[in-house]
Amino acid sequence: MNRSLTTAGGAISVRRATARDAKRLTRLVRGSRAYEGQYAAMVAGYRVGPDYIETHRVFVAVTADTADATGEGSGGGEGGGSSEGGGQVLGFYSLVLAPPELDLMFVADRAQGRGVGRLLVAHLKSEARAAGLDRVRVVSHPPAEGFYRSVGAVHVGTASANPPAVVWDRPELEFRISADSAGNAG
C-alpha cells in the first residue's frame, strides 16, 4: 500500500518505516512544538527505536526526492535527514493491530498544513481495512482532537490521566473503518 500526494513543494509518498528511520522519527517526536510547555513531559526522553519499528506497523511520509518540501534541504528540520527510501521524513504513524489503535502519529512542524496528516490518516484507514479491522482507537493529544475529528474520527470517551508522564485527561476517539475499498470512508 503506497499512497501519494503532490503539493507545491513536490510529491509526498507513504512507505513502511525501517530501522534506519528510528533516529529521524525520534527527533520528530521530541522536536514537536505540540508537546511544549505542559505537554513536554510526555515526550521527554521518548525514543522510537528500531525494535519498535520492527514490531509495529510504522509508516512514514517522505518527499519524493532529497530536497525537503519544508525548504530545509537534506538534513535540517525536526524530521531531518534523508530516509532510506529517499527524500525527507515529513511525518509518520504507527498502527497496532491488537487491540486496534493508532499508537503514534506525528507530522513535522514545518510540514503541517500541507496535507501530510490527511495522507497518513488515509493510509492508516487503508491499512486497517486490509488487516480486516472495523475500527481503530485513537487516544489523542488534546490539541490534536480537532484534526482527528476533521478526518473522520468520532469522540467515544475520555482516557484518564496516567501520571507521572501524562497528567491530563485525553480525548478518546475512534476511526470506523468501512469495508469499501475507495479509501474515503471511515
Side-chain angles (χ1 to χ4, degrees):
M1 159 62 43
N2 198 21
R3 292 189 180 247
S4 63
L5 168 75
T6 302
T7 69
I12 300 168
S13 62
V14 178
R15 65 162 174 80
R16 188 79 184 244
T18 67
R20 294 186 65 190
D21 292 315
K23 287 183 182 178
R24 283 177 289 279
L25 301 185
T26 296
R27 280 194 305 268
L28 200 154
V29 169
R30 290 182 184 174
S32 174
R33 286 189 309 235
Y35 284 88
E36 292 178 334
Q38 68 175 340
Y39 301 115
M42 179 74 180
V43 296
Y46 197 89
R47 178 178 169 268
V48 180
D51 52 337
Y52 180 89
I53 291 170
E54 296 295 328
T55 304
H56 297 87
R57 290 185 179 213
V58 181
F59 293 88
V60 295
V62 296
T63 58
D65 56 57
T66 58
D68 179 79
T70 65
E72 288 288 313
S74 63
E78 51 285 320
S82 293
S83 65
E84 178 180 309
Q88 295 290 304
V89 173
L90 300 178
F92 77 99
Y93 76 88
S94 173
L95 173 63
V96 175
L97 296 180
E101 183 170 1
L102 173 62
D103 188 39
L104 297 170
M105 183 173 186
F106 283 84
V107 173
D109 294 329
R110 290 192 173 125
Q112 291 184 12
R114 298 174 184 237
V116 175
R118 290 182 182 281
L119 176 65
L120 289 170
V121 168
H123 191 275
L124 163 84
K125 290 177 180 179
S126 289
E127 285 293 315
R129 186 176 298 106
L133 303 177
D134 64 354
R135 59 193 65 231
V136 175
R137 178 179 184 241
V138 179
V139 177
S140 177
H141 178 49
E145 180 179 11
F147 166 75
Y148 287 118
R149 285 182 175 220
S150 78
V151 292
V154 295
H155 189 270
V156 295
T158 302
S160 297
N162 186 14
V166 183
V167 295
W168 61 89
D169 291 345
R170 293 150 298 151
E172 184 175 353
L173 306 138
E174 190 173 82
F175 285 114
R176 297 189 177 142
I177 309 299
S178 71
D180 83 18
S181 60
N184 297 327

